[in-house]
Amino acid sequence: MERFINLLKQSFIAVRSYKLRTFFSLLGIAFGVASLSIIVASVQGSYHRAYQTIEVFGPESILIFSGSREERGIRQRKKTLTMQDIEVLKKNIPQIKLIMPVLYVDEAQVYYRGNIITTRAYGVSTQFEEAWNWYLIEGRMFNEEELRRKKNVCVIGLYVKKELFEKTDPIGKMILVNKLPCKVLGVLSRRGTTPTGRNLDDRILMPYTTVMSKINRDFKYINSIRIRFEKGSDVEKLVEKVRQILRQNHHLRPDQPDDFFILSPTEIIRFLVNLTGTLVLFLGLSSIISLTVGGFVLANLFLLSVNERKKEIGIRRAVGAKRKDILIQFLLEAILITLIGSVLGFILSFAGAYGLTKIAQFPIKFSLLSFLFGVIVSVIVGVISVLNPAIKASRLNPIEAIRE
């Protein structure tokens, strides 16, 4: 044990003495570990976000959009869903707990006493809170009477409240939504952002009848349909049933693609996994390159170090140091460098993660696992890289080494 402690002390002295070698070695290892740590943390963060999103979305819920998946991909907004679709689905699927039409008003201009913002207005039913598990923190939701009579009333998100009213109580105030006067009845609770970075609190809810008749002026088509099934329902089977009913109701031939898109919890997980996979691939290549470069730098610097330290090695051998002592000392030096590099890399990964979350709203969740993974990989790379120089150093002839 005493012998090992002495070797460890010698390793510390060597690491401190050869500052330039240590600096370049640390740099390569630190960048590699930072990339690896972000990979592990992003994978953990994405799965954490996926389950959070599903919890918010509703594990027994789906959202049906107008237009095919391909049309949505190129941002084409083709309306294909109707109120009749809702009636047909309600009639044919007894497992439906609630079903609600949704209409969008993109880039709605909202005005209140000199303050103006552009937001998104949604036409919804009185069941919005139950449909999304998203409840009000101030005021109330509009009722069935106000929905039936197409009243000019609304509920606003927290972001809209902050931008329009600042510290003023919004309840009962009149705002203009695309020049339509609306009375604010309530304020939604905070919901945050989507995995793609959209602010969910930046919205206004209105009765869908009001949006249909007074803003969109379209009495037939709706943008999407929100469905919640009874607890314990087989969502995947019901999704297929919904799909078949809508295809039949839209008179689509077998060779024609769906003119709608169904978003289910499974689709959300698939999307987030694909999103994570792209970043993991990029960072994975970066970390492999960084660690490989770090390994080569380490190997070459230690080879140079062996030549520089021949006399030191020869003297140590002459006074009783064994070959394995020299081998262990060089390996300990490599392990020390990689451990310090790992700590620096983990600190760098926090900075990288901060940038990713700010720029791309990417979910990052650091844990002990991400740190340990980076440490283990870097130590393995360090040991493998230095093994050949360490063996070469241990096999030096002490007499010849002292002469040089």
Side-chain angles (χ1 to χ4, degrees):
M1 188 65 185
E2 188 180 342
R3 197 182 194 94
F4 179 78
I5 292 169
N6 286 330
L7 287 172
L8 196 59
K9 284 179 181 177
Q10 290 293 328
S11 300
F12 267 114
I13 293 166
V15 167
R16 288 176 61 187
S17 300
Y18 297 91
K19 291 182 176 65
L20 197 61
R21 179 200 70 176
T22 302
F23 173 75
F24 283 113
S25 302
L26 285 176
L27 211 59
I29 296 297
F31 280 116
V33 170
S35 300
L36 277 175
S37 298
I38 291 175
I39 288 171
V40 177
S42 63
V43 170
Q44 288 181 305
S46 292
Y47 280 107
H48 181 70
R49 176 66 72 86
Y51 289 113
Q52 275 187 330
T53 304
I54 289 168
E55 189 66 30
V56 169
F57 183 81
E60 283 98 15
S61 304
I62 63 170
L63 189 60
I64 311 166
F65 295 97
S66 284
S68 66
R69 186 195 294 264
E70 290 74 20
E71 287 168 340
R72 288 186 61 79
I74 57 174
R75 297 190 178 277
Q76 284 187 359
R77 296 294 176 86
K78 182 181 177 183
K79 289 185 178 180
T80 56
L81 299 173
T82 65
M83 292 299 292
Q84 187 201 11
D85 289 327
I86 291 178
E87 295 304 317
V88 172
L89 289 169
K90 276 165 61 176
K91 183 179 176 181
N92 290 281
I93 304 178
Q95 293 93 336
I96 289 177
K97 184 179 180 180
L98 66 84
I99 186 166
M100 178 183 77
V102 182
L103 289 90
Y104 308 146
V105 182
D106 288 322
E107 297 186 350
Q109 297 290 315
V110 184
Y111 176 87
Y112 176 75
R113 290 191 178 179
N115 293 330
I116 185 166
I117 63 168
T118 301
T119 185
R120 198 179 204 190
Y122 293 83
V124 297
S125 76
T126 57
Q127 295 177 302
F128 176 87
E129 291 177 285
E130 189 183 357
W132 288 98
N133 285 325
W134 192 354
Y135 298 94
L136 274 64
I137 53 169
E138 294 178 45
R140 66 173 180 87
M141 194 68 182
F142 47 82
N143 55 39
E144 287 293 338
E145 178 69 10
E146 289 162 331
L147 179 74
R148 186 179 62 80
R149 296 179 64 182
K150 307 170 187 175
K151 287 286 188 178
N152 295 4
V153 291
C154 66
V155 170
I156 61 175
L158 275 173
Y159 177 81
V160 176
K161 176 191 172 183
K162 177 188 168 188
E163 294 297 309
L164 284 184
F165 296 97
E166 297 177 351
K167 295 180 181 179
T168 307
D169 182 8
I171 307 302
K173 302 294 190 299
M174 296 298 294
I175 62 174
L176 293 177
V177 181
N178 279 6
K179 299 181 181 179
L180 179 73
C182 281
K183 183 180 179 180
V184 178
L185 298 180
V187 179
L188 284 165
S189 57
R190 187 179 302 280
R191 187 49 71 95
T193 58
T194 65
T196 54
R198 188 162 59 85
N199 185 359
L200 292 171
D201 299 315
D202 184 10
R203 65 177 56 210
I204 290 177
L205 306 181
M206 301 172 68
Y208 72 84
T209 50
T210 306
V211 174
M212 264 186 170
S213 59
K214 298 178 182 180
I215 298 180
N216 287 355
R217 302 189 184 280
D218 183 346
F219 297 92
K220 182 179 180 182
Y221 291 104
I222 57 178
N223 294 94
S224 60
I225 299 170
R226 170 68 170 177
I227 298 176
R228 283 195 72 177
F229 299 111
E230 295 291 347
K231 196 169 183 180
S233 299
D234 188 335
V235 176
E236 290 308 303
K237 282 187 178 179
L238 290 172
V239 164
E240 186 55 33
K241 191 172 182 181
V242 167
R243 180 174 170 272
Q244 294 302 328
I245 290 169
L246 287 176
R247 284 187 62 85
Q248 187 177 353
N249 204 44
H250 292 186
H251 308 293
L252 296 173
R253 298 190 308 272
D255 62 323
Q256 286 182 298
D258 296 342
D259 61 357
F260 53 87
F261 168 60
I262 302 174
L263 181 65
S264 66
T266 305
E267 287 288 335
I268 292 171
I269 290 176
R270 189 178 294 123
F271 167 75
L272 286 170
V273 167
N274 289 338
L275 187 67
T276 307
T278 306
L279 182 70
V280 167
L281 180 64
F282 171 73
L283 291 175
L285 289 171
S286 302
S287 64
I288 289 167
I289 292 167
S290 298
L291 285 171
T292 303
V293 170
F296 273 116
V297 169
L298 210 58
N300 286 313
L301 289 174
F302 268 82
L303 276 171
L304 288 171
S305 179
V306 170
N307 292 326
E308 290 174 1
R309 296 163 67 184
K310 277 184 178 180
K311 187 169 285 188
E312 174 200 329
I313 295 164
I315 293 168
R316 288 195 63 208
R317 288 294 312 279
V319 296
K322 297 178 181 178
R323 281 185 174 180
K324 70 173 183 180
D325 294 333
I326 305 299
L327 178 67
I328 290 170
Q329 183 184 329
F330 270 80
L331 292 178
L332 281 174
E333 287 176 29
I335 290 167
L336 281 172
I337 289 170
T338 52
L339 285 175
I340 297 166
S342 298
V343 173
L344 290 174
F346 201 60
I347 293 167
L348 274 176
S349 69
F350 276 102
Y354 179 80
L356 280 172
T357 51
K358 285 293 179 186
I359 297 167
Q361 297 289 328
F362 203 85
I364 303 288
K365 186 177 173 63
F366 282 103
S367 67
L368 184 62
L369 176 66
S370 56
F371 177 66
L372 289 176
F373 185 73
V375 169
I376 291 166
V377 171
S378 66
V379 168
I380 291 169
V381 168
V383 169
I384 292 170
S385 301
V386 176
L387 194 58
N388 186 48
I391 291 169
K392 183 180 177 183
S394 68
R395 289 177 177 174
L396 283 175
N397 185 303
I399 297 169
E400 290 179 5
I402 291 169
R403 281 177 182 170
E404 290 186 25

